[in-house]
């Protein structure tokens, strides 16, 4: 279906999983179960942190924000993907596609910033423990939590506006299961230099910048831990940031794999597999990592279960 220009584009067609019709039903139930488990797992963490007095600390405050993102991020993509699996049209409106693009970039950007904030929190807690409560005050924590949303919102708005100025005269068929950034650039027949510059700045300032903050923080953390004489002390100190380190590795690992693999080869399996890992796999693994690796979360959950049994 060819379009003359941007003004005539009223909708896009998401190819989705139309090339494997025999797997649509199994995929629908599999993704539904994973999505449901993601919502329940992250919601449980938010409830536990918000209602347990022992977890009213900066680290768990930021963790609850990460869990909120792990609910919102897949919710931008998965419901539409599930709908397309049982629908023959697989159509998304132009404005719906722009909205999906906006929120996808927003939430991805916010998560990059929040992971850096959590790394900074662990750096202060381990490297400057005597000044921790003074540095990580409630006011500072709120600012560190709100700041990523403001920065992410501005960047996402700029990129979405730039994308909305593109003309799509080649096709309105998106070879993906959601409105992906690179797909718009492929479909456009207008100058995409502004979009490429915006992507480059986003990768450098948001991606590389935050990754550098995380690496710098953990370099100082590891250096401080190695100076601890007691082996048990080193183990106990490292355990306070091991869960976050695992989440950071998982998040940046899948993000880097997704975009570098996509740029290297735009074939359908490569693009989709990486995107599925990031949009569906990562959000469900985060609550599993924190619940299995964090004794305080497990302890809070046991207290909740115990209170329910007593009542």
């Amino acid at each position: 279906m060819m379009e003359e220009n941007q003004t005539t584009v009223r909708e896009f067609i998401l190819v989705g999983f139309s090339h494997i019709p025999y797997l649509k039903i199994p995929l629908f139930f599999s993704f539904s179960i994973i999505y449901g488990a993601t919502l329940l797992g992250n919601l449980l963490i938010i409830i536990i942190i918000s209602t347990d007095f022992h977890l009213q600390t900066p680290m768990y405050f930021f963790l609850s924000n990460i869990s909120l993102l792990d609910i919102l991020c897949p919710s931008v993509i998965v419901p539409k993907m599930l709908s397309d699996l049982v629908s023959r049209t697989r159509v998304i409106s132009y404005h719906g596609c722009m909205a999906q693009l906006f929120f996808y970039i927003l939430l991805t950007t916010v998560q990059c910033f929040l992971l850096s904030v959590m790394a900074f929190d662990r750096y202060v807690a381990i490297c400057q423990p005597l000044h921790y409560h003074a540095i990580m005050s409630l006011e500072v924590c709120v600012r560190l939590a709100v700041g990523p949303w403001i920065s992410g919102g501005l960047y996402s708005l700029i990129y979405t506006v730039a994308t909305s100025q593109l003309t799509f005269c080649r096709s309105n068929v998106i070879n993906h299961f959601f409105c992906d950034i690179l797909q718009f650039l492929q479909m456009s027949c207008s100058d995409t230099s502004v979009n490429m510059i915006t992507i480059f700045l986003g990768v450098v300032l948001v991606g590389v910048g935050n990754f550098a903050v995380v690496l710098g923080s953990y370099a100082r953390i590891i250096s401080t831990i190695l100076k601890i004489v007691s082996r048990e002390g080193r183990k106990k100190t490292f355990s306070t940031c091991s869960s976050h380190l695992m989440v950071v590795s998982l998040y940046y690992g899948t993000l880097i794999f997704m975009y570098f693999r996509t740029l290297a080869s735009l074939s359908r399996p490569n693009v989709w597999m990486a995107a599925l890992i990031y949009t569906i796999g990562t959000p469900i693994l985060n609550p599993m990592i924190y619940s299995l690796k964090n004794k305080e979360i497990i302890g809070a959950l046991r207290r909740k279960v115990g209170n329910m049994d007593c009542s």
Side-chain angles (χ1 to χ4, degrees):
M1 180 176 178
M2 305 300 290
E3 299 292 342
E4 288 295 326
N5 52 51
Q6 177 189 320
T7 59
T8 60
V9 175
R10 296 287 185 270
E11 59 188 26
F12 293 100
I13 299 174
L14 295 170
V15 172
F17 299 89
S18 59
H19 63 296
I20 46 175
Y22 51 91
L23 288 179
K24 282 187 177 182
I25 300 302
L27 287 175
F28 175 82
F29 285 106
S30 298
F31 293 154
S32 296
I33 293 172
I34 294 173
Y35 179 56
T38 299
L39 298 182
L40 290 175
N42 285 288
L43 184 60
L44 182 61
I45 286 182
I46 293 174
I47 293 173
I48 291 173
I49 292 174
S50 61
T51 58
D52 193 286
F53 175 77
H54 300 84
L55 302 181
Q56 303 301 307
T57 64
M59 181 179 73
Y60 291 106
F61 170 70
F62 296 128
L63 173 58
S64 62
N65 279 267
I66 291 291
S67 293
L68 176 61
L69 287 173
D70 285 335
I71 290 175
L72 296 177
C73 195
S75 296
V76 172
I77 295 173
V78 176
K80 175 59 179 172
M81 182 179 69
L82 293 175
S83 174
D84 289 343
L85 281 171
V86 294
S87 172
R88 295 183 179 181
T89 57
R90 303 185 306 278
V91 171
I92 183 170
S93 68
Y94 175 84
H95 293 97
C97 212
M98 290 297 114
Q100 191 181 68
L101 178 67
F102 172 82
F103 285 109
Y104 177 74
I105 297 175
L106 167 65
L107 297 171
T108 302
T109 304
V110 172
Q111 190 151 16
C112 283
F113 279 114
L114 276 179
L115 288 175
S116 296
V117 168
M118 291 184 72
F120 173 73
D121 171 73
R122 291 299 83 203
Y123 158 74
V124 176
I126 295 174
C127 300
Q128 301 184 40
L130 298 179
H131 304 285
Y132 179 72
H133 293 290
I135 295 174
M136 301 302 293
S137 63
L138 177 61
E139 182 180 358
V140 171
C141 289
V142 171
R143 289 181 179 180
L144 289 174
V146 173
W149 286 95
I150 296 175
S151 302
L154 289 174
Y155 173 68
S156 182
L157 181 62
I158 291 172
Y159 185 82
T160 304
V161 170
T163 303
S164 68
Q165 304 304 310
L166 295 176
T167 57
F168 303 106
C169 57
R170 293 175 182 168
S171 174
N172 69 337
V173 178
I174 298 178
N175 187 28
H176 216 307
F177 56 81
F178 71 101
C179 300
D180 182 54
I181 300 170
L182 298 177
Q183 292 295 320
F184 281 115
L185 301 183
Q186 282 188 299
M187 294 190 303
S188 175
C189 58
S190 58
D191 183 14
T192 60
S193 57
V194 174
N195 302 80
M196 294 302 297
I197 292 173
T198 307
I199 292 176
F200 176 77
L201 290 176
V203 169
V204 173
L205 298 178
V206 179
V208 177
N210 282 289
F211 190 54
V213 171
V214 172
L215 287 180
S217 298
Y218 274 101
R220 295 293 301 274
I221 289 171
I222 292 172
S223 175
T224 301
I225 291 176
L226 291 176
K227 294 178 183 178
I228 300 175
V229 178
S230 169
R231 180 179 178 182
E232 187 64 27
R234 290 196 300 268
K235 183 178 179 181
K236 183 178 180 180
T237 303
F238 183 75
S239 66
T240 64
C241 58
S242 60
S243 296
H244 175 251
L245 187 59
M246 290 178 65
V247 170
V248 167
S249 302
L250 180 66
Y251 178 80
Y252 279 105
T254 53
L255 195 63
I256 292 171
F257 174 80
M258 182 172 68
Y259 279 100
F260 277 90
R261 185 71 169 172
T262 300
L263 291 172
S265 176
L266 289 171
S267 65
R268 188 180 297 169
N270 290 334
V271 175
W272 289 6
M273 182 57 67
L276 282 172
I277 293 173
Y278 175 74
T279 58
I280 298 180
T282 304
I284 193 175
L285 288 176
N286 286 352
M288 293 174 61
I289 290 173
Y290 279 110
S291 62
L292 293 175
K293 294 288 293 183
N294 194 301
K295 294 181 180 179
E296 291 181 317
I297 292 286
I298 296 175
L301 181 59
R302 286 175 177 172
R303 285 192 293 272
K304 293 296 178 186
V305 174
N307 292 336
M308 291 174 63
D309 290 340
C310 292
S311 60

